[in-house]
Amino acid sequence: MGQVIGLLGVCLVLGVLARRSGRFPEGTAPAFNVFLLNVSLPALVLRAMHRLEFAPGLVVAAAAPWLLFVGAVLFLRLLGPRLGLSRESVTALILTAGLGNTAFVGLPMAAALLGPSSVPVAVVADQLGSFLVLATLATLTAARASARTELSVRTLARKVLGFAPFQALVLALLLRPFPFPDWLESVLQRLGDLLTPLALFVVGFQLRLKGLWPRVPALALGLSYKLVLAPLAVLGLLMLMPGLELVVKQTTVLQIAMAPMVTAAILAAEHDLDADLAVLMVGVGIPLSFATAPLLLSLVH
């Protein structure tokens, strides 16, 4: 757990220092974003989904992230405009509050707090939940919000089908009957391992706290949903489901309580959807989640 916190903190700080040093060009963040979305994330998805073993009893863990995103759409589209937020800002909040960092923070946190038995549940919540939401609903939401005119169904479908991580997902499912050779497993792992440090470096590079105060109402709205309201709502639903194993309940709530997904902020930046607000959601949400997630976990019995 300490290693996870240390990695996240160091990468964020390095990104901040890199921007202040002046040694990195202004185009650093967009260049890294393209690499992460088209190389590192597809490599991670291809390897993880090819190896994933899914059990029918884990459908609850897979469904929870979908409910999280749909709830974010309803909650933030209702309250966001009342704070005077633009369409772009509301969508940036939806992307970051509706998607949790279930892979790079959620998986190691689940293993540290709940033990090895929680890892399969956490993987299902991440791969069949968060990632599929990112590749479908979140991509569609970002595309529609960034378009100046209404997009046709064909155009929206093309954006989803052309999303490199989604293509990696389809390829991984098609190749499941065939084992990957060791050299390919190694290559995919090394490329996928770049995602966490580089993504957090980019967040730190883009993080600017000078304009934090005017953003506090929007941040409070997005983070209160992501870190408190949504996990409590999921916990309430799980308590109404008899027969669920405790580890499934605990892991599902923990994954929903994770900080905003780093890749969601990258997706917002790629579509010009208030990237500054999206980065603040991640930069502020990650350290807060280290306190709020264990507290919420303690409520699960």
Side-chain angles (χ1 to χ4, degrees), residues 9-292:
V10 167
C11 291
L12 281 169
V13 171
L14 285 176
V16 173
L17 294 177
R19 176 175 54 81
R20 292 184 177 181
S21 71
R23 297 179 182 180
F24 289 75
E26 284 299 319
T28 295
F32 275 144
N33 286 344
V34 172
F35 175 83
L36 292 170
L37 288 178
N38 292 280
V39 179
S40 286
L41 184 55
L44 176 75
V45 170
L46 185 57
R47 181 171 181 266
M49 290 304 297
H50 184 261
R51 297 155 55 100
L52 180 65
E53 296 295 333
F54 180 71
L58 302 180
V59 66
V60 171
W66 294 84
L67 295 177
L68 171 69
F69 191 84
V70 172
V73 172
L74 299 175
F75 181 79
L76 294 167
R77 282 185 177 170
L78 174 65
L79 298 182
R82 298 187 180 185
L83 294 180
L85 299 179
S86 65
R87 181 184 184 186
E88 292 77 11
S89 297
V90 170
T91 307
L93 285 181
I94 289 172
L95 294 177
T96 49
L99 290 164
N101 203 332
T102 51
F104 309 112
V105 182
L107 292 179
M109 185 177 283
L113 296 179
L114 299 174
S117 63
S118 68
V119 173
V121 185
V123 170
V124 168
D126 175 59
Q127 294 297 309
L128 299 183
S130 299
F131 172 72
L132 281 183
V133 174
L134 171 69
T136 54
L137 294 184
T139 302
L140 289 173
T141 301
R144 292 188 65 180
S146 63
R148 297 185 181 277
T149 57
E150 188 67 24
L151 297 178
S152 65
V153 174
R154 178 180 296 181
T155 301
L156 290 172
R158 189 183 303 120
K159 284 186 174 290
V160 172
L161 295 176
F163 189 47
F166 182 79
Q167 295 172 344
L169 170 66
V170 174
L171 183 60
L173 296 177
L174 292 175
L175 294 177
R176 279 180 66 85
F178 310 101
F180 285 166
D182 292 341
W183 68 265
L184 181 56
E185 283 276 353
S186 178
V187 170
L188 293 175
Q189 180 179 356
R190 290 177 181 273
L191 289 174
D193 286 346
L194 293 173
L195 185 57
T196 300
L198 281 182
L200 287 166
F201 177 88
V202 171
V203 168
F205 191 86
Q206 296 177 299
L207 190 61
R208 289 170 171 80
L209 297 179
K210 289 183 178 179
L212 177 61
W213 185 249
R215 298 289 200 166
V216 167
L219 280 174
L221 180 65
L223 290 177
S224 64
Y225 173 81
K226 180 68 196 73
L227 300 181
V228 181
L229 299 178
L232 287 176
V234 168
L235 174 58
L237 289 175
L238 293 178
M239 292 304 179
L240 298 177
M241 298 180 181
L244 278 182
E245 294 182 39
L246 179 60
V247 68
V248 173
K249 294 180 182 179
Q250 291 175 320
T251 309
T252 302
V253 170
L254 185 64
Q255 287 289 60
I256 295 301
M258 286 298 99
M261 182 188 288
V262 178
T263 314
I266 295 174
L267 185 65
E270 284 291 292
H271 288 82
D272 296 321
L273 298 171
D274 201 344
D276 291 340
L277 178 58
V279 166
L280 282 172
M281 282 284 291
V282 174
V284 176
I286 286 177
L288 283 178
S289 70
F290 291 131
T292 57

